């Protein structure tokens, strides 16, 4: 039996008009749609004066059995979520939109890693109920709580001097002349 789960998703994002004088617009992922439906990347779903909603394409949500701790953390939040990562499209690749879906994940830990770069747009969107149930079944099948083991420090062996020097804490005298550097 495979220890990974893959679900195909359609991703929706909006281009919104900015209220800042420093930018004309900004992009934000807003939701998940069924993967099937005859839509292609760049199709406009909704448009008005303030925003335009685009179908960003179909992307795979892949969950691994080794990451179940992160999924449990996600389910322990008030609203389980999927995290959508948009990355700027290179101008030469012919993509119809300036941003593309780089990743969709249910792991808040992985989402944080993408967010740390500052180059990607990472947004949390509510997890649809059918995906929630499927992912909970996956977690129930593979998750194993790991017992916390406190690491104990090794006892310091005063007789074993590292690098040929005495440990600093054994030098209890004030240096000659009152200078701290000797």
């Amino acid at each position: 039996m495979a220890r990974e789960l893959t679900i195909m998703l359609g991703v929706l994002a909006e281009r919104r008009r900015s209220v800042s004088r420093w930018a004309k617009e900004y992009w934000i992922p807003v939701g998940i749609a069924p993967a099937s439906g005859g839509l292609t990347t760049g199709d406009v779903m909704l448009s008005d004066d303030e925003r335009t909603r685009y179908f960003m394409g179909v992307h795979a949500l892949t969950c691994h059995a080794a990451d179940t701790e992160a999924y449990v953390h996600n389910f322990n939040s008030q609203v389980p979520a999927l995290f959508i990562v948009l990355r700027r499209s290179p101008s030469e690749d012919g993509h119809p939109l300036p941003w593309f879906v780089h990743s969709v994940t249910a792991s808040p830990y992985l989402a944080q890693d993408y967010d740390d770069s500052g180059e990607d747009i990472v947004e949390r969107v509510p997890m649809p109920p059918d995906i929630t149930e499927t992912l909970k079944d996956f977690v129930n099948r593979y998750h194993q709580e790991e017992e916390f083991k406190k690491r104990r420090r090794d006892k310091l062996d005063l007789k074993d001097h590292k690098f040929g020097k005495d440990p600093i804490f054994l030098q209890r005298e004030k240096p000659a002349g009152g200078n701290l550097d000797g």
Side-chain angles (χ1 to χ4, degrees), residues 103-147:
S103 179
V104 178
T105 183
S107 169
Y109 305 158
L110 185 57
Q112 179 65 43
D113 290 344
Y114 282 119
D115 199 32
D116 286 344
S117 76
E119 297 291 322
D120 300 325
I121 297 172
V122 181
E123 194 64 34
R124 174 188 179 107
V125 298
M127 188 182 297
D130 56 332
I131 295 173
T132 302
E133 290 307 313
T134 303
L135 191 53
K136 279 185 178 180
D137 290 342
F138 180 78
V139 168
N140 289 336
R141 189 174 326 131
Y142 293 111
H143 184 65
Q144 296 176 356
E145 286 290 330
E146 292 185 27
E147 181 181 335

Side-chain angles (χ1 to χ4, degrees), residues 24-176:
K24 295 186 319 187
E25 64 188 25
Y26 65 97
W27 286 76
I28 184 167
V30 294
I32 299 297
S36 61
L39 298 171
T40 59
T41 302
D43 284 353
V44 175
M45 306 289 292
L46 168 79
S47 184
D48 60 27
D49 292 339
E50 299 296 317
R51 72 183 136 250
T52 304
R53 182 174 295 173
Y54 293 96
F55 182 76
M56 299 297 291
V58 175
H59 202 278
L61 167 66
T62 304
C63 302
H64 303 278
D67 297 334
T68 57
E69 178 187 344
Y71 309 140
V72 168
H73 182 83
N74 189 354
F75 288 130
N76 288 337
S77 66
Q78 288 184 349
V79 178
L82 294 175
F83 300 89
I84 300 172
V85 180
L86 297 183
R87 187 164 283 174
R88 189 167 293 282
S89 298
S91 57
E92 66 275 355
D93 78 348
H95 195 270
L97 299 170
W99 294 88
F100 69 95
V101 179
H102 176 70
S103 179
V104 178
T105 183
S107 169
Y109 305 158
L110 185 57
Q112 179 65 43
D113 290 344
Y114 282 119
D115 199 32
D116 286 344
S117 76
E119 297 291 322
D120 300 325
I121 297 172
V122 181
E123 194 64 34
R124 174 188 179 107
V125 298
M127 188 182 297
D130 56 332
I131 295 173
T132 302
E133 290 307 313
T134 303
L135 191 53
K136 279 185 178 180
D137 290 342
F138 180 78
V139 168
N140 289 336
R141 189 174 326 131
Y142 293 111
H143 184 65
Q144 296 176 356
E145 286 290 330
E146 292 185 27
E147 181 181 335
F148 178 75
K149 295 178 185 173
K150 185 172 180 178
R151 185 177 63 97
R152 294 196 169 273
R153 287 186 170 199
D154 297 332
K155 295 211 178 217
L156 179 64
D157 184 9
L158 296 178
K159 295 190 180 10
D160 182 27
H161 300 298
K162 305 269 189 223
F163 305 107
K165 295 185 177 182
D166 290 335
I168 293 174
F169 61 86
L170 292 180
Q171 300 173 359
R172 300 191 186 269
E173 295 180 23
K174 190 174 184 179

